[in-house]
Each structure stands twice: as C-alpha cells, then as structure tokens.
C-alpha cells in the first residue's frame, strides 16, 4: 500500500469516528431546533418544537445548556450526513484506485523483467569475479568474512551482508558518498543501494554506541544525511546492536523485507 492509500485509510477511519460520535450525540439530543431573531438590544434565541400537533417557539436565551445541546445536535446532524457520504466515496476510491508506485508495478511484472533489474544492479556492485566490490580494505579492521567473500568490520555486518546476498539484493559496501564537489573526506555509508527506480537508499548499522567518539562520528554522518535529503524511515535505514552488542537476525531480515525487497520482488 502506497502513501496515498494509507492517507485514504486514515481519513476513512476518521470519518467512521465522526459518524459514531454524531450518532451518540443524536441519540441523547433534545427534540426540536433553535432559531435566532435579532432585536434592538440583543439577539433572542428560540427553541422550535412541536407540542400537541402544533409548532411552538420558546424563548431560551438564558438557557445556555439547552442552546449548546441544540447547537451540538444540528452540528451532529450535518456531520453525520457528510460522514456517511464521505465513507461511501472513500470506500469506492479504495476499490477503484490502482497504485502505480514502483514497488507495486514491479509486483506485476514477469520474472524476465525482475531478472533484468538484478542484472543492471549487479553490474554496478559486483567485480569481474562476481563478488561485491571491496572499496576500502583494511586488514586490521575488515576481519569478518561473509558468504559472498566480502570482508566487513563486524559480526552484525556479516548478518546484514549475508541476508542481502541471500535475497539477491545488489548493494555497495562502504562506497564513497560525496557530500559536495571536491569532497576530500566523503562519507562511507555501511551499505548503499542504487534502486531500480533511480532512487538511492542508505543503511547505517550502529554497533559501538558505548563509545563516545563513535557516537559523535555517526551523529556527524546523520547531520550530513539530513542535509543531503536522507531521512530515517524513508531513504535511510538505521539499525543498531543491543546493549550487549548483539544483532537480531530476524529484525535485520524484517528491515530488508520491508524497505528493500519490494524493489526486487519476484
């Protein structure tokens, strides 16, 4: 479901709430309606009701509670009518609306087109031997080997890398990400994804949050990501180890299935 349908669903729920509240008010509402007449000194408010088969007008200018009750009644009547109409329109819109979001379109394409997407993605991220490109290798820091042969810094990154390759999702590991022209110290996001719709997603896994220097370094990266238009939950994925330094494999899998796999759905 794309953002538009989520918005429709939220509005549909809002209209149902208004409908329910309006019905509750009307079940307890007083009979009749009110009418105002302007006089020289003040506006006089009358209660219009039927009694003994005849319409009666009673001056209720000093009965604030009754005035409020009759006002609420009329507001609820109009609100109820509009809510019923809106609910029918929104339900019909949900039934007829066809999403053309990239991930939904991909879900309708044949395997041949999905394979073409992967071929293009691999062409950007794999070396001549068919392994993910190792952009910055430091034998003292990149000490953990993944299933695809990529050397990474932590066991958590092993989990992420193995899960990505298991799903066949193309990615770049620690590839330079320039902040501006001539950037001498480009960012190196843990994982970068050049998505088939032309967008870019980044993934940072935070593993040493007990170290102040590490936290400050990543806070600076988040500052630049924000400045460059990358926002958590949209095109920036953030995960972290727990207090014991452990990384949850099921949670990593969940993040990939939610944020990346739909672009390569088969």
């Amino acid at each position: 479901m794309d953002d538009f349908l989520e918005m429709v669903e939220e509005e549909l729920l809002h209209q149902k709430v208004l409908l329910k509240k309006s019905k509750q008010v009307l079940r307890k509402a007083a009979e009749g309606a009110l009418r105002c007449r302007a006089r020289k000194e003040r506006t006089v408010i009358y209660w219009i009701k039927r009694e003994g088969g005849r319409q009666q007008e009673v001056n209720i200018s000093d009965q604030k509670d009754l005035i409020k009750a009759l006002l609420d009644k009329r507001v609820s009547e109009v609100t109820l009518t509009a809510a019923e109409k809106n609910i029918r329109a929104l339900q019909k819109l949900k039934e007829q609306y066809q999403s053309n979001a990239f991930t939904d379109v991909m879900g309708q394409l044949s395997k041949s087109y999905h394979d073409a997407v992967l071929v293009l993605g691999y062409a950007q991220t794999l070396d001549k031997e068919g392994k993910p490109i190792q952009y910055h290798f430091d034998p003292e820091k990149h000490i953990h080997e993944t299933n695809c042969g990529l050397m990474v810094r932590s066991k958590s990154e092993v989990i992420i890398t193995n899960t990505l390759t298991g799903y066949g999702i193309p990615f770049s590991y620690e590839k330079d990400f320039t902040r501006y022209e001539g950037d001498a110290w480009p960012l190196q996001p843990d994982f970068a994804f050049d998505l088939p719709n032309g967008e870019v997603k980044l993934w940072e896994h935070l593993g040493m949050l007990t170290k102040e220097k590490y936290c400050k370094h990543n806070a600076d990266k988040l500052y630049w990501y924000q400045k460059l238009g990358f926002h958590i939950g949209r095109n920036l994925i953030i995960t972290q180890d727990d207090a014991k330094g452990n990384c949850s494999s099921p949670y990593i899998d969940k993040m990939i299935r939610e944020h990346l796999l739909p672009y390569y759905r088969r």
Side-chain angles (χ1 to χ4, degrees):
M1 182 181 293
D2 62 14
D3 291 342
F4 177 73
L5 281 183
E6 289 181 2
M7 180 180 67
V8 171
E9 189 66 39
E10 289 179 3
E11 182 59 27
L12 183 58
L13 178 61
H14 175 62
Q15 293 296 323
K16 288 181 178 179
V17 170
L18 290 178
L19 180 66
K20 181 179 179 180
K21 289 183 177 180
S22 298
K23 288 182 176 180
Q24 290 174 341
V25 171
L26 292 175
R27 278 197 293 268
K28 302 176 181 179
E31 295 182 3
L34 60 77
R35 180 180 299 163
C36 294
R37 289 194 174 91
R39 302 302 188 201
K40 290 183 179 180
E41 297 181 354
R42 64 170 184 165
T43 297
V44 180
I45 301 177
Y46 293 91
W47 179 16
I48 311 300
K49 60 177 182 175
R50 298 194 68 81
E51 194 172 288
R54 299 177 59 185
Q55 181 172 292
Q56 303 288 328
E57 291 191 9
V58 180
N59 187 337
I60 57 170
S61 300
D62 296 325
Q63 300 182 47
K64 306 303 181 186
D65 290 342
L66 181 54
I67 294 172
K68 178 68 167 54
L70 292 171
L71 176 60
D72 289 346
K73 176 187 177 182
R74 186 55 186 152
V75 169
S76 296
E77 288 173 341
V78 176
T79 300
L80 184 145
T81 300
E84 290 177 334
K85 181 179 179 180
N86 291 340
I87 289 171
R88 290 193 297 269
L90 290 168
Q91 288 175 332
K92 186 175 182 180
L93 176 59
K94 278 183 59 181
E95 295 170 0
Q96 296 183 345
Y97 178 78
Q98 183 172 355
S99 172
N100 55 3
F102 183 85
T103 52
D104 293 323
V105 172
M106 284 296 295
Q108 301 177 42
L109 300 184
S110 67
K111 185 177 182 300
S112 294
Y113 289 94
H114 286 277
D115 290 345
V117 165
L118 291 174
V119 168
L120 292 174
Y122 292 146
Q124 300 178 65
T125 60
L126 302 182
D127 59 22
K128 294 180 180 180
E129 297 179 357
K131 297 180 179 180
I133 299 171
Q134 186 95 47
Y135 287 97
H136 302 280
F137 178 66
D138 184 337
E140 294 184 359
K141 296 180 179 178
H142 298 90
I143 59 176
H144 299 277
E145 186 175 4
T146 64
N147 292 341
C148 62
L150 189 70
M151 302 300 293
V152 296
R153 296 172 182 266
S154 67
K155 293 179 181 179
S156 298
E157 290 184 342
V158 171
I159 293 173
I160 296 173
T161 301
N162 288 345
T163 309
L164 288 170
T165 54
Y167 279 119
I169 297 175
F171 66 92
S172 297
Y173 176 71
E174 293 189 340
K175 181 180 180 181
D176 285 350
F177 192 82
T178 56
R179 296 165 293 179
Y180 45 81
E181 186 175 353
D183 187 359
W185 299 95
L187 300 174
Q188 293 173 5
D190 293 339
F191 301 90
F193 307 88
D194 292 304
L195 300 175
N197 64 347
E199 297 178 1
V200 174
K201 276 196 178 187
L202 305 178
W203 187 338
E204 290 285 355
H205 183 79
L206 309 179
M208 297 186 292
L209 294 176
T210 56
K211 298 184 178 181
E212 184 177 355
K213 184 177 179 181
Y214 177 87
C215 292
K216 289 181 177 179
H217 171 68
N218 280 282
D220 184 65
K221 292 176 77 173
L222 289 174
Y223 162 79
W224 277 105
Y225 289 148
Q226 174 81 11
K227 194 170 183 177
L228 294 170
F230 289 87
H231 305 282
I232 298 173
R234 287 168 50 191
N235 51 4
L236 175 60
I237 303 170
I238 299 290
T239 51
Q240 68 184 73
D241 289 348
D242 62 21
K244 296 181 179 180
N246 298 320
C247 178
S248 169
S249 296
Y251 181 68
I252 294 300
D253 184 79
K254 178 176 180 289
M255 296 297 286
I256 291 173
R257 285 188 286 106
E258 288 183 359
H259 295 279
L260 296 167
L261 193 58
Y263 293 92
Y264 303 93
R265 187 184 301 164
R266 287 195 290 257

